[in-house]
């Protein structure tokens, strides 16, 4: 597959969570996920369900209407991972997804990542971490 000729498919199939949160702090959690969903050119019919699924999967429901810039460091990391995983891409790159999280939040994050990497069986997760 030639990337330049299939850019929409490439966007759909890739997710990336950088080491440092790349959030637009004036957007809410919901709006942030909506933006990334739209950037991937995914089906508008499944948009609301996909966004709500990621909000629930990463335990961000109580923050859905809060500005990204007001979240704690751990919840910003959860949002960054949710943005990478929106639309269930086939390849997900996660760079230090649990940085700055307390041990309980870190364990939660590893369970989410494990579920995507092993249970879904349709995604490859490339992970860098010092938390081993």
């Amino acid at each position: 597959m030639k990337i330049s000729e299939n850019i929409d498919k490439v966007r759909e199939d890739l997710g990336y969570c950088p080491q440092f949160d790349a959030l637009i702090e004036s957007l809410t959690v919901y709006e942030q996920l909506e933006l990334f969903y739209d950037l991937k050119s995914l089906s508008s019919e499944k948009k609301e369900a996909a966004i709500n699924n990621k909000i629930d999967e990463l335990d961000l429901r109580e923050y859905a209407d809060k500005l990204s810039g007001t979240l704690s460091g751990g919840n910003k990391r959860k949002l960054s991972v949710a943005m990478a995983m929106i639309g269930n891409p086939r390849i997900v790159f996660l760079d230090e997804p649990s940085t700055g999280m307390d041990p309980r939040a870190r364990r939660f994050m590893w369970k989410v990542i494990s579920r995507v990497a092993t249970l879904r069986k349709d995604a490859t997760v490339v992970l860098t971490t010092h938390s081993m």
Side-chain angles (χ1 to χ4, degrees):
M1 174 171 72
K2 197 168 182 183
I3 292 173
S4 61
E5 293 174 3
N6 297 287
I7 197 69
D8 286 340
K9 184 69 174 145
V10 171
R11 279 190 197 115
E12 184 179 320
D13 284 345
L14 286 178
Y16 172 61
C17 173
Q19 182 174 4
F20 301 102
D21 301 314
L23 305 176
I24 300 171
E25 296 192 346
S26 60
L27 293 179
T28 66
V29 168
Y30 189 94
E31 291 167 340
Q32 194 87 22
L33 291 170
E34 186 174 38
L35 172 65
F36 272 72
Y37 190 91
D38 289 344
L39 288 173
K40 289 185 171 198
S41 302
L42 299 169
S43 166
S44 60
E45 297 155 0
K46 298 177 183 178
K47 182 171 157 177
E48 189 174 344
I51 293 168
N52 283 311
N53 176 272
K54 289 303 165 214
I55 286 172
D56 292 336
E57 184 177 17
L58 284 137
D59 196 27
L60 292 167
R61 176 60 54 203
E62 70 181 280
Y63 308 104
D65 296 322
K66 303 248 189 265
L67 296 179
S68 303
T70 65
L71 299 176
S72 68
N75 284 323
K76 285 181 179 180
R77 292 309 293 154
K78 287 181 186 179
L79 177 54
S80 293
V81 170
M83 290 163 35
M85 293 184 179
I86 195 76
N88 298 323
R90 293 181 347 161
I91 303 170
V92 182
F93 295 95
L94 302 173
D95 190 5
E96 296 288 350
S98 62
T99 296
M101 291 183 153
D102 63 62
R104 186 173 171 185
R106 183 176 293 127
R107 173 59 37 213
F108 172 82
M109 180 64 71
W110 290 119
K111 285 181 181 178
V112 170
I113 293 167
S114 177
R115 202 168 39 246
V116 169
T118 58
L119 298 179
R120 239 177 57 195
K121 295 184 181 174
D122 62 350
T124 299
V125 177
V126 180
L127 173 69
T128 61
T129 186
H130 289 94
S131 299
M132 298 299 286

